Amino acid sequence: TALKPGGHIVYSTCSISPGENDGVIQKLLKKKKDQVEIMRPDLEIEPEWTEQGLQYLPDRSGMGPMYACLIRKKES
């Protein structure tokens, strides 16, 4: 609620648990779907895309684990 309309926030974890990753974003969308949208950023190192965000896993990318989701607050 503190994010300005048009603003962005990144939700990120170092977890591989779907409940801590996409699960958290799904709860956000359930409560605030009309106020936020999920963005898909262009990245130099191609991630593995999940339902809501992206992840890097050590066995595939040599880094991580890392999950991230870029969220934009819609304009009023």
Side-chain angles (χ1 to χ4, degrees), residues 10-18 20-22 25 41-70:
V10 174
Y11 173 75
S12 180
T13 73
C14 57
S15 174
I16 60 171
S17 167
E20 292 181 42
N21 296 335
D22 279 353
I25 302 304
D42 290 328
L43 301 167
E44 284 187 34
I45 301 172
E46 188 66 23
E48 293 178 52
W49 295 100
T50 66
E51 186 177 341
Q52 304 298 339
L54 60 95
Q55 64 184 4
Y56 292 106
L57 299 172
D59 64 329
R60 297 191 180 142
S61 68
M63 62 180 154
M66 184 187 95
Y67 171 88
C69 180
L70 178 60

Side-chain angles (χ1 to χ4, degrees), residues 4-37:
K4 291 181 183 180
H8 293 82
I9 191 165
V10 174
Y11 173 75
S12 180
T13 73
C14 57
S15 174
I16 60 171
S17 167
E20 292 181 42
N21 296 335
D22 279 353
V24 172
I25 302 304
Q26 289 167 348
K27 287 179 185 177
L28 170 70
L29 292 174
K30 186 175 180 180
K31 291 182 180 181
K32 306 285 184 181
K33 184 155 182 78
D34 59 331
Q35 298 175 31
V36 299
E37 62 184 332

